[in-house]
Amino acid sequence: MKKFFKILLIVMVCIVFIATFVYLYLNSRGKDKVYELSYPKRETIERTTVLTGKIEPRDAIDIKPQISGIISEILVEAGDHVSNGDIIAKIKVIPEEAQLSQANNRVELARISLEEARLNFERTNALYEKKYESREKFEADKAAYERAKREYDQAADQLTIVRDGVSAANAQGSNTLVRSTVTGVVLEVPVKVGSSVIQANTFNDGTTIAKVADMTDLIFKGKVDESEVDLLSEGMGVRISVGAIAGSDFPAVIEKIAPMASDENGTNTFEVKAALTADEAARLRAGYSANANIILERAENVMAVSEGVVEYEGDKAYVYLLTDSIPSQKFERREVTTGLSDGLMVEIKDSVINYTTPLRDREKR
């Protein structure tokens, strides 16, 4: 009995050993790979690029004062429509002491001269009426009196301008009234009542009282990489999508491409401006972030295959044609001439394959 169990044990060990050997052998042989098949299709392929930028008014004008002082009143706010010449703000002038003193002195001197001329004229007039004075003397003293009155009025007006910034003779045209120089919409008013403002001069750009723009004339302003700029041209149509407006797709036309590149993070880019129509611009606001989709190249109704089917080697492209599927798949490598690609599909330009040719695609899992 012991001998029987001993033989059985040896047999079982041999069976396990043989089974393990067979299993390892079969696994070491490897399995034939099975690939999915793909067929050429007739497609319209477009190569596009997307420019990131903003919606901006074509011209946004900074309205600045013609005199330095303090804002005493603001008559508009952002969003208001203004016409050319409308008053935007009023300025209170803070005169310099030296100028104010000089103006006061001129008024006092003009007053003294006026009083002297008046007395001379009245005395000459009385003598002239009694025939004791000549007509020439009467007319000369009368002209001197009129001239003195004019000089006094001028000195007084100059004092008013220095002190208040307003001319008594032209109050509506005073420099203290800040007026819009264009017709449009007020985009922003960066000052408040009480703010100090200065006029533009050689050493300073001046304080901006308000920014006004024509909101019916908007453009898209974005950047394009130097590798694609030569594919763009003025007059080319683009489609503008605005992130703040779901599903937006506004037509625009490229009207300007910068002749000189700008360096952004080590990359040369060119500024592109595209004009929107007035009807489309009415729905937009200045400062919206937007993307411009531009079709750089287009191939219509061409034979195309999936990019995953094509194998690239240097400047050549290859596909694998199915030649047999029994007992296992067999493929033949063929060189093809490719054309336009959109990243998903690629154009095939020669007749190496046709629409019924099965091609090797990705491996099945």
Side-chain angles (χ1 to χ4, degrees):
M1 182 64 70
K2 289 182 180 180
K3 184 176 181 181
F4 171 77
F5 282 110
K6 185 176 180 181
I7 294 173
L8 180 61
L9 180 61
I10 293 173
V11 171
M12 291 179 64
V13 170
C14 291
I15 292 173
V16 170
F17 178 78
I18 294 172
T20 302
F21 177 80
V22 171
Y23 174 79
L24 293 176
Y25 172 75
L26 292 175
N27 282 337
S28 66
R29 293 178 59 188
K31 296 180 180 179
D32 291 334
K33 292 182 179 180
V34 179
Y35 294 91
E36 294 182 3
L37 299 179
S38 177
Y39 293 86
K41 301 176 182 178
R42 185 170 294 278
E43 297 278 350
T44 294
I45 301 176
E46 295 178 342
R47 178 188 172 195
T48 62
T49 188
V50 177
L51 311 185
T52 302
K54 288 186 176 181
I55 302 298
E56 298 181 2
R58 183 182 302 279
D59 296 304
I61 306 300
D62 291 335
I63 308 300
K64 300 186 178 184
Q66 298 180 9
I67 194 170
S68 299
I70 294 176
I71 298 291
S72 62
E73 188 176 358
I74 296 176
L75 304 178
V76 299
E77 60 183 18
D80 289 350
H81 186 278
V82 295
S83 298
N84 188 3
D86 286 353
I87 299 174
I88 289 178
K90 297 180 180 180
I91 296 176
K92 178 182 178 181
V93 175
I94 306 299
E96 295 182 5
E97 288 298 327
Q99 291 182 346
L100 184 60
S101 177
Q102 290 175 2
N104 278 317
N105 288 337
R106 282 195 296 270
V107 171
E108 184 61 24
L109 291 174
R111 187 192 64 77
I112 294 173
S113 297
L114 175 61
E115 183 65 18
E116 181 182 3
R118 184 184 65 80
L119 293 173
N120 286 337
F121 173 67
E122 289 178 352
R123 184 166 49 252
T124 301
N125 185 48
L127 293 174
Y128 177 70
E129 289 178 350
K130 295 179 180 180
K131 309 298 183 181
Y132 294 144
E133 190 62 81
S134 66
R135 184 178 181 83
E136 289 79 6
K137 174 66 174 172
F138 169 76
E139 291 178 349
D141 286 352
K142 182 180 179 181
Y145 178 46
E146 294 295 332
R147 186 165 52 251
K149 286 197 294 184
R150 182 64 61 86
E151 289 176 353
Y152 176 79
D153 290 341
Q154 185 177 2
D157 192 49
Q158 186 65 32
L159 174 61
T160 303
I161 293 174
V162 172
R163 185 185 59 220
D164 303 325
V166 179
S167 171
N170 186 24
Q172 289 301 312
S174 169
N175 289 343
T176 60
L177 302 177
V178 182
R179 298 177 182 272
S180 176
T181 57
V182 294
T183 297
V185 176
V186 179
L187 299 182
E188 63 173 334
V189 181
V191 295
K192 298 179 180 180
V193 172
S195 300
S196 296
V197 296
I198 58 174
Q199 69 183 106
N201 53 50
T202 306
F203 306 101
N204 197 294
D205 292 335
T207 306
T208 297
I209 303 296
K211 182 173 289 188
V212 180
D214 181 2
M215 292 300 291
T216 64
D217 189 10
L218 299 181
I219 62 172
F220 167 83
K221 185 183 291 186
K223 300 281 189 178
V224 62
D225 188 83
E226 64 178 346
S227 62
E228 297 179 333
V229 68
D230 282 343
L231 299 175
L232 305 184
S233 62
E234 296 178 4
M236 180 182 289
V238 301
R239 309 297 299 188
I240 306 297
S241 59
V242 178
I245 303 177
S248 58
D249 184 27
F250 302 113
V253 177
I254 295 177
E255 64 176 20
K256 187 67 66 177
I257 302 173
M260 179 177 173
S262 58
D263 188 351
E264 289 192 359
N265 300 321
T267 302
N268 284 340
T269 59
F270 292 81
E271 185 177 75
V272 176
K273 295 180 181 179
L276 293 102
T277 64
D279 291 341
E280 302 296 344
R283 301 175 54 190
L284 301 175
R285 298 177 182 272
Y288 270 154
S289 296
N291 293 327
N293 297 283
I294 306 176
I295 299 175
L296 301 176
E297 296 178 89
R298 181 183 176 92
E300 296 186 2
N301 296 322
V302 296
M303 181 187 293
V305 298
S306 170
E307 275 282 5
V309 170
V310 183
E311 180 181 273
Y312 294 95
E313 189 176 289
D315 58 353
K316 295 183 178 181
Y318 300 91
V319 294
Y320 288 85
L321 282 62
L322 180 68
T323 57
D324 196 358
S325 59
I326 299 175
S328 62
Q329 291 177 325
K330 294 182 181 180
F331 297 94
E332 180 182 349
R333 192 185 195 212
R334 292 282 188 88
E335 183 180 351
V336 293
T337 303
T338 58
L340 187 62
S341 171
D342 61 4
L344 297 176
M345 303 294 290
V346 58
E347 176 188 2
I348 302 298
K349 288 188 171 183
D350 50 30
S351 58
V352 172
I353 59 176
N354 55 50
Y355 291 103
T356 61
T357 304
L359 304 174
R360 190 184 78 178
D361 204 334
R362 65 179 61 88
E363 183 181 351
K364 287 185 177 180
R365 294 183 179 179

